[in-house]
């Protein structure tokens, strides 16, 4: 026999619509019929939720009820974590999507009630899922790494900064780097191994392919060893690492991680063209193929320095966000789940 749903407590409070729409997430859940009451209770106890709707028996695979609600982004991680503790991700489904635009007094009030700011909130479950997807060692990932390194090789030989920037933008290496950072903070060894494997294999295959590409271009009389020995004012920084290389990598790592956690993916393009990972790998491959071992070693140092700086900065950024948000949440939410008004 089905358990009765608890009565939904409606708020009588009304607010003015601000000029900007609320930053809320939409959750669509499939829950077994005997777990729906628990889910509804959790949603009602979570500050910053609204627009709760239940469609009994609507789900066919798996069978159960469909529960939908909106939640302020800053309260999203708390609610998703609670749903996973109930095992809804195992016996049913948890789907989360961003709402691009919404007109609703209740949504504005939910965002106002939730502690903190939406831009500062980190959805850890989503971050781990996205980094896991981006750090998958796939044919497409290796292809992008290889193509980016070959484009950078052309830029190195021609001393063309435009090609170098283009190669930086094409390279997908920040995904696995972010995966390593998230794995260290979340203590997820599988994600750490998966991301590290994608980085190592991706760069190894790309550099090996670029060595062959360099020999092919030399046979076609397009690459010449003298091109590396000549003055290259636009690209000589690639094989001459210095303190600024590490500083830029640190700053790029912070910016990249903030862009991921705040869902501002546009900033990732700027991050990609700020670090010298792909160009360094390309220069190392070309220099190795032409027995220019001094440049090959300098480029390898540049590559390792950039990778280390990004991982350190990204990990520290996530740690700071986790500590600050957990402290803020502890102060802003009462044990019952409702926002505390003390102080």
């Amino acid at each position: 026999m089905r358990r009765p749903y608890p009565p939904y407590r409606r708020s009588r409070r009304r607010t003015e619509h601000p000029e900007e729409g609320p930053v809320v997430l939409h959750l669509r859940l499939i829950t077994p019929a005997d777990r729906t009451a628990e889910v509804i209770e959790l949603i009602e106890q979570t500050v910053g939720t609204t627009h709760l709707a239940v469609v009994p028996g609507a789900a066919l695979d798996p069978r159960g009820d469909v529960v939908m609600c909106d939640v302020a982004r800053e309260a999203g991680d708390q609610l998703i974590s609670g749903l996973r503790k109930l095992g809804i991700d195992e016996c049913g489904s948890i789907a989360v999507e961003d709402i691009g635009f919404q007109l609703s007094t209740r949504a504005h009030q939910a965002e106002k009630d939730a502690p903190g700011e939406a831009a500062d909130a980190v959805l850890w479950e989503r971050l781990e899922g996205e980094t896991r997807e981006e750090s998958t060692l796939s044919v497409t990932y290796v292809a992008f790494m290889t193509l980016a390194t070959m484009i950078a090789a052309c830029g190195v030989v021609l001393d063309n900064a435009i090609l170098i920037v283009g190669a930086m933008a094409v390279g997908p290496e920040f995904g696995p780097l972010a995966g390593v950072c998230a794995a260290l903070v979340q203590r997820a060894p599988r994600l750490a191994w998966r991301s590290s494997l994608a980085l190592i294999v991706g760069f190894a295959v790309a550099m090996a392919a670029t060595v062959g590409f360099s020999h092919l271009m030399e046979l076609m009389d397009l690459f010449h060893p003298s091109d590396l020995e000549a003055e290259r004012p636009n690209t000589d920084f690639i094989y001459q690492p210095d303190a600024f290389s590490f500083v830029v990598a640190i700053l790029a790592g912070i910016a990249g991680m903030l862009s991921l956690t705040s869902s501002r993916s546009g900033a990732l393009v700027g991050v990609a063209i700020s670090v010298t990972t792909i160009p360094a790998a390309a220069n190392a491959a070309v220099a190795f193929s032409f027995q220019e071992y001094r440049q090959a070693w300098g480029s390898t140092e540049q590559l390792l320095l950039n990778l280390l700086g990004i991982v350190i900065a990204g990990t520290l950024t996530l740690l700071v966000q986790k500590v600050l948000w957990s402290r803020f949440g502890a102060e802003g939410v009462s044990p019952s789940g409702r926002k505390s008004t003390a102080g």
Side-chain angles (χ1 to χ4, degrees):
M1 188 172 179
R2 299 187 59 166
R3 296 172 56 186
Y5 302 146
Y8 181 61
R9 294 183 289 273
R10 297 183 178 180
S11 172
R12 297 179 180 273
R13 185 166 32 183
R14 297 184 62 84
T15 59
E16 296 291 335
H17 282 297
E19 294 182 0
E20 298 182 357
V23 182
V24 294
L25 305 171
H26 180 69
L27 269 65
R28 177 178 52 78
L29 315 171
I30 295 178
T31 66
D34 60 344
R35 308 295 299 277
T36 302
E38 295 177 83
V39 171
I40 293 175
E41 184 178 2
L42 173 64
I43 293 173
E44 288 192 319
Q45 288 181 350
T46 303
V47 66
T49 58
T50 187
H51 301 152
L52 176 60
V54 182
V55 187
L60 299 179
D61 184 21
R63 290 190 175 277
D65 303 331
V66 174
V67 181
M68 295 171 285
C69 72
D70 294 340
V71 59
R73 191 176 190 277
E74 49 268 48
D77 187 65
Q78 177 190 354
L79 179 56
I80 296 171
S81 298
L83 291 168
R84 294 198 67 182
K85 288 179 181 178
L86 291 177
I88 302 303
D89 57 324
E90 298 177 357
C91 62
S93 170
I94 304 173
V96 184
E97 59 182 338
D98 293 299
I99 297 180
F101 180 72
Q102 186 180 62
L103 293 176
S104 170
T105 300
R106 288 183 179 276
H108 283 290
Q109 188 61 50
E111 184 183 40
K112 183 178 179 181
D113 289 343
E117 295 294 333
D120 297 330
V122 181
L123 299 177
W124 293 101
E125 302 291 346
R126 172 183 283 187
L127 176 64
E128 188 173 338
E130 289 180 350
T131 51
R132 184 183 296 109
E133 181 181 351
E134 293 294 326
S135 60
T136 300
L137 182 60
S138 62
V139 174
T140 301
Y141 166 79
V142 174
F144 271 112
M145 286 287 290
T146 303
L147 291 172
T149 308
M150 290 181 176
I151 293 173
C154 295
V156 163
V157 172
L158 297 175
D159 193 32
N160 190 316
I162 296 177
L163 291 177
I164 295 296
V165 172
M168 290 176 173
V170 171
E173 75 279 9
F174 191 81
L177 287 170
V180 172
C181 299
L184 292 175
V185 174
Q186 295 293 86
R187 298 178 182 178
R190 288 187 179 181
L191 179 58
W193 165 251
R194 185 180 190 138
S195 302
S196 301
L197 182 66
L199 275 175
I200 295 172
V201 174
F203 273 110
V205 172
M207 293 175 71
T210 302
V211 170
F213 175 73
S214 299
H215 286 304
L216 176 63
M217 296 293 280
E218 184 182 17
L219 289 175
M220 297 172 63
D221 200 30
L222 295 176
F223 280 11
H224 307 94
S226 59
D227 293 330
L228 290 184
E229 299 171 358
E231 291 188 5
R232 292 186 288 150
N234 294 321
T235 57
D236 59 1
F237 68 93
I238 295 173
Y239 58 89
Q240 296 177 0
D242 53 21
F244 279 106
S245 301
F246 190 69
V247 170
V248 171
I250 290 289
L251 297 176
I254 296 173
M257 202 53 63
L258 288 176
S259 69
L260 283 180
T261 57
S262 62
S263 296
R264 297 183 178 178
S265 57
L268 280 178
V269 178
V271 173
I273 61 178
S274 299
V275 291
T276 323
T277 50
I278 292 294
N283 198 85
V286 175
F288 182 82
S289 64
F290 292 152
Q291 290 82 48
E292 287 286 340
Y293 298 120
R294 181 183 62 85
Q295 284 196 32
W297 176 245
S299 301
T300 303
E301 286 184 331
Q302 180 78 275
L303 173 62
L304 296 176
L305 197 63
N306 276 267
L307 294 177
L308 179 63
I310 292 174
V311 170
I312 291 175
T315 302
L316 291 177
T317 300
L318 286 179
L319 283 173
V320 170
Q321 288 182 296
K322 190 170 187 177
V323 171
L324 291 179
W325 190 256
S326 62
R327 288 183 178 179
F328 188 89
E331 295 174 357
V333 180
S334 66
S336 64
R338 287 300 177 185
K339 186 177 180 181
S340 172
T341 57

